[in-house]
Amino acid sequence: MTTLHPGAVFGHYRLDRILGEGGMGVVYDAFDTRLERQVALKMVHAHLADRQFIDMFIREGQTLAQIRSPHIIAIYDIGEQQGSPFIVTQFIKGGDLSGLVRSKGPLAPHLACLVNAQVAGALHDAHQVGIIHQDVKPSNVLVRNPASPLDPFAFLCDFGIATSSSDSPAGGITGTWNYLAPEYIRDERDAQGRPIMPEPSRDIYAAGCMLWFSLTGRIPYAGEAVQVAMAHQNAPIPQFVGTDEWTREANRILQLSMAKDRRNRYQSAAVFKDDLLKLREITAPAQIVPAPSMTDPNPLPILVAAVRAPSESEAILIEEAARPSKITPLRVGAAMVGVAALGVGGALAITQPWVEHGPEPIVPTVKGAAYADVNGDKFGDVVTNTQNPDGKGVDVVTWKSDGRTLTPSKAVTYDDPALPADNDGSEVFPLCADFTGDGKNSLITFVRSEKGFNFHGDLEGSLKAPAGVVEQGKKMAGSTFYYDLGTDDFDGDGVADLFMATTFGNPDPDLDRQGRTVGDGAIWVYRGTGSGFAEPTQFAAYPADTREQIVVGEFTGDEKADLVVLNRAAGEPEDKTLTTGTSELDLYQGDGATIAEAKSFSFKHKGISSIVAGDVDGDGRDEIVVGESGRGEGQTITVGTFSDDLAEFSIATRGKLPKPRNTLKTTSRYPVTLADVNGDGLTDVIAASQDTSDSPYTFYVALAAKEGSFQGHELATWKSSPEDVRRYNIMGGTIG
C-alpha cells in the first residue's frame, strides 16, 4: 500500500495528518469515527511486513493490551488491512523525555522525581502481569504537559522487545547500551546454562539510569559501546556531592536502583516509586554537583531551576505566564528519530513528533464498564431530569464525560398523564446499570404511571406498584406516600435489580413538611431478568420515625446489596437536615432475599446534605460517601468504611468540593451523585452548586483516590438549570 494522504479513510479511521514517515511506515494523527476520539494510527508498509515482523508487531499490541496503567500508552486496536499491519493507540500531545532534557536542560528535581515516579508506577503495573519492558530509556517515555510546573504526565511506550513470564529465555543482548543492566551485558546464565529470565530488577536498573539523566542531562556512563558496557559492570554508581538531606536521599535511591548486583536493587518498582515521591517533597540545594567520574573528572555544578515543588497557586501563576497566545503545531527534531525507530529497535517505537499546547485526552483504565457509563466509552456520565421548559413532561439529559468535562446530549422528553402538571423531575427516574447481564451498562428511564411505572430506553415495558404498598397505604390514612427508585444487584447474579424505597409522611402537616415520617419504611425489589423485571418482593422493613436517610450498596464484600439507615441526630426536631452531632447508623446485611438484624454504629458528623454509596477506593466494596455542608467553605467529602468483620465503622475526610467563587453567606449544600467520570475504576463524587442565587448551576467533581485527598475541579456549567436543583434532579449510577 502506498502512503495514504490526509483526509483518506482507513477502515473506520479518518487520517487527518501525517505525524511522521520513515522507511518502515507512517504514523498518522487519526480520528476514530466510531468512538469519536483522536488516536495515533501506526501503519507498516506492506512490502516490508514479512511474517517475523508482523509477529513482532502483533506481539507488542498484545503485550500492551494486557496492562492496565494510567502511565502506559493505551492500545485501542490492532490488525491488518489492505496488506498493511496497523496499530491504533492513545494520542499523546507532548514530547519524549530525551528530547525534553536535551532541549530544555535537566529537569528541576521535583519534576524529575515526579516523572520518574510515574514511570516506576507504570513498570510496577507491567510487572504485576508478568511483563518486563527490557528497553526503558528516555526516548521511550512521552511527557504530556512537559512545561507544567505541577503536573507533567509521563507515559511509558515501546514494548516491542518486552517479554512475559511465560516466554522462554533467549540469548543475546536486547535493549539500549546506555541503560542496560550489568547482568545482561555479562550474559549471565542459570545452572543449566540457559540465559537468565528477564526480571523486574532489569527495568529498575534502567529506570535508575534514566533518573540520573533527568537530573543531570547526562547518561550515567559515556564512551564507546565496549567502554559503556564495562562501566555498567565495574564503574562506581553515579552519585552527587553533598551532605544535605536531598542529596543523601537521592544518592540512596541511585544506589538501590543501580546496584551492580540485582539482588541489592529495589525488588519492587512500587517501592522505587514511593521513594521518589518522598524525595520530591524534600527541598533540593540550589545546585546539585555530580561526583567526579572516569569520563568526567571535573563535572560542573548543575543549577537547579526550582528547589521545591510549587504550591498549586504558584503553579497556576507560572502556567498563566508561560501560556502562548495561540495554539501552534511545532515540528521538533525528535520527530524523525521516533519514526526511524520503526526500522531499528521495536516494531512500534514512535516518539510523538508534535508539541501542542492544550489538555491531552484522558484514557480510561477501568476494566469492564465504568460506574454510570451511559454511552459505553468507559467514562462515567451524569444524567439530569428536570421539568420541560414548556411545562410538558420531564427532560432527561445525559451529560457525557470525556474524563475532564461534561457535555450535554439532546434532551429526551418523557410525559405521562399520571405525572403532575408541575412535576419537577421527582417522578421520573433515569437509572444506569447492567440491567441485561452482558457486562455493559444500560440507561433505563422509569416514569410514573397510573398503576406503577412505564420504563423506556434499552429496555421497554411497564411495572405495577407493589401490592404490599397499596395495602400499607390503606392503613396509613391521612399520610402522604413517598418513594424513591434505585438500582443494585441484590442477589449477586450480575444482573442489576430495581428497588423502590417507600415511606409515609406524618399526618401532622407541619411535621410532614419537615420530612418527618411515621410507621415502617420498606425496600421492595423487582429482580432483573436480563430482559425485564420480575414481580416485586419485600426485601427489608425498618423503623421510619427516626429515619433521616437510607443508602443501598454492597458494603460487606459478598456481592449482594445491603441497607444502611442513617437516623436523626440529636438536635432541634424542627430541623429536617441532619445537624452537627452524633447519629446512629444501622447496617442491615442482605443475603439476597432479606436482611439480617441491624448492626448499629455511631457516626459523628457536621450537617449532612447528601449521603450516597459507591466504591471510591477500588476494593470491590462500597463505602458511605457523605457531603457535609459548611458555611461558604464548600462541601466536605467524608468517606465511611465498614471493617471486614463488620465490627467497626471508620470515617475519614477525603477532600472538599470547591466553594462558590462568590461565597454564599448561607450554608453550602450540594445535591450529590456518583460516577467514574475519569474512567480509572474509582467512583467519583459529582455535585451541582451555584455561585449566587441567580446564577446557573455548575457541576463539580471530587476525583476519588485510593489514598489521600480527592482533588476537586469544575466539570461544566448547567446553563439551563432550574432555579432550585434537588438531589433527584442529578443522577449517576445507582442513585434514584
Side-chain angles (χ1 to χ4, degrees), residues 551-567:
V551 188
V552 172
E554 198 282 278
F555 305 109
T556 60
D558 63 359
E559 299 185 354
K560 297 176 182 178
D562 311 300
L563 171 66
V564 165
V565 178
L566 185 63
N567 295 298

Side-chain angles (χ1 to χ4, degrees), residues 371-374 380-386 394-400 406 423-433 443-447 483-487 498 612 671-677 683-688 699 718 725-736:
Y371 188 85
D373 176 15
V374 173
D381 307 302
V382 174
V383 183
T384 57
N385 56 310
T386 57
V394 172
D395 286 348
V396 173
V397 175
T398 299
W399 294 74
K400 296 184 291 185
L406 296 177
N423 179 46
D424 57 1
S426 60
E427 307 271 8
V428 175
F429 301 85
L431 298 176
C432 177
L443 179 65
I444 301 179
T445 300
F446 297 83
V447 182
Y483 70 94
D484 272 318
L485 294 187
T487 177
L498 176 72
V612 290
V672 164
T673 190
L674 301 174
D676 181 8
V677 296
T683 305
D684 308 310
V685 184
I686 300 96
F699 288 108
W718 190 355
V725 173
R726 303 297 183 92
R727 67 178 181 84
Y728 47 74
N729 296 130
I730 170 175
M731 301 184 185
T734 62
I735 310 304

Side-chain angles (χ1 to χ4, degrees), residues 4 8 30 49 88 139 162 173 279 297 350 404 416 475 505 571 602 637 650 688:
L4 298 176
V88 180
S139 61
I173 300 297
L279 178 61
I350 304 294
R404 186 176 286 108
D416 190 283
K475 300 175 184 178
S602 294
I637 301 299
S650 59

Side-chain angles (χ1 to χ4, degrees), residues 120 123-124 127-128 200-201 204 265-274:
L123 289 173
H124 176 68
H127 296 164
Q128 288 295 100
S201 58
I204 291 171
R265 281 179 220 144
Y266 287 110
Q267 296 303 298
S268 166
V271 180
F272 185 20
K273 169 189 171 182
D274 291 343

Side-chain angles (χ1 to χ4, degrees), residues 92-94 142-146 151-155 359-362 404:
I92 303 298
K93 295 172 182 167
L142 307 183
V143 184
R144 187 190 72 207
N145 298 334
D151 61 348
F153 203 92
F155 295 85
E360 167 66 23
I362 293 174
R404 186 176 286 108

Side-chain angles (χ1 to χ4, degrees), residues 61-368:
Q62 293 171 336
T63 299
L64 281 171
Q66 294 179 49
I67 309 170
R68 294 289 184 272
S69 174
H71 293 287
I72 290 178
I73 290 290
I75 180 171
Y76 299 146
D77 193 8
I78 189 168
E80 184 177 347
Q81 184 160 319
Q82 301 175 34
S84 292
F86 71 93
I87 188 169
V88 180
T89 67
Q90 178 182 5
F91 181 89
I92 303 298
K93 295 172 182 167
D96 65 73
L97 181 59
S98 177
L100 178 63
V101 171
R102 297 194 187 284
S103 62
K104 302 293 185 181
L107 302 184
H110 70 275
L111 292 180
C113 290
L114 178 58
V115 168
N116 283 274
Q118 292 171 350
V119 173
L123 289 173
H124 176 68
D125 292 335
H127 296 164
Q128 288 295 100
V129 295
I131 302 299
I132 313 300
H133 188 283
Q134 293 206 93
D135 198 18
V136 177
K137 57 185 177 182
S139 61
N140 282 339
V141 175
L142 307 183
V143 184
R144 187 190 72 207
N145 298 334
S148 171
L150 198 60
D151 61 348
F153 203 92
F155 295 85
L156 182 62
C157 63
D158 187 12
F159 282 71
I161 59 175
T163 59
S164 110
S165 55
S166 62
D167 289 336
S168 298
I173 300 297
T174 56
T176 303
W177 285 107
N178 291 330
Y179 300 90
L180 208 56
E183 60 269 23
Y184 290 92
I185 296 174
R186 290 192 293 265
D187 194 20
E188 291 184 359
R189 296 178 177 259
D190 62 19
Q192 286 73 41
R194 297 173 302 187
I196 60 173
M197 287 290 297
E199 298 177 347
S201 58
R202 175 177 185 176
D203 286 344
I204 291 171
Y205 182 90
C209 295
M210 192 167 67
L211 173 63
W212 179 262
F213 174 79
S214 305
L215 289 166
T216 66
R218 309 165 188 171
I219 55 177
Y221 307 112
E224 299 296 328
V226 174
Q227 294 173 305
V228 171
M230 294 300 295
H232 277 299
Q233 296 181 69
N234 304 315
I237 295 171
Q239 297 280 271
F240 295 107
V241 176
T243 59
D244 60 278
E245 182 184 7
W246 185 92
T247 300
R248 294 197 309 271
E249 183 62 14
N251 285 340
R252 184 186 73 85
I253 292 173
L254 289 165
Q255 288 283 352
L256 286 173
S257 58
M258 295 182 63
K260 305 298 182 184
D261 188 333
R262 65 182 184 277
R263 294 169 296 183
N264 296 332
R265 281 179 220 144
Y266 287 110
Q267 296 303 298
S268 166
V271 180
F272 185 20
K273 169 189 171 182
D274 291 343
D275 280 355
L276 286 169
L277 293 177
K278 291 174 184 176
L279 178 61
R280 182 175 184 260
E281 300 304 317
I282 301 174
T283 300
Q287 60 181 21
I288 55 177
V289 183
S293 65
M294 291 183 296
T295 56
D296 191 1
N298 298 298
L300 296 175
I302 300 168
L303 296 178
V304 170
V307 299
R308 61 172 176 82
S311 67
E312 187 170 356
S313 58
E314 291 171 334
I316 291 172
L317 292 174
I318 294 170
E319 288 183 327
E320 287 291 340
R323 183 169 293 146
S325 58
K326 62 180 180 179
I327 299 174
T328 306
L330 175 65
R331 188 175 291 276
V332 297
M336 297 316 297
V337 175
V339 175
L342 273 167
V344 181
L348 308 176
I350 304 294
T351 299
Q352 169 60 18
W354 293 80
V355 175
E356 297 185 42
H357 302 282
E360 167 66 23
I362 293 174
V363 176
T365 58
V366 63
K367 296 181 180 179

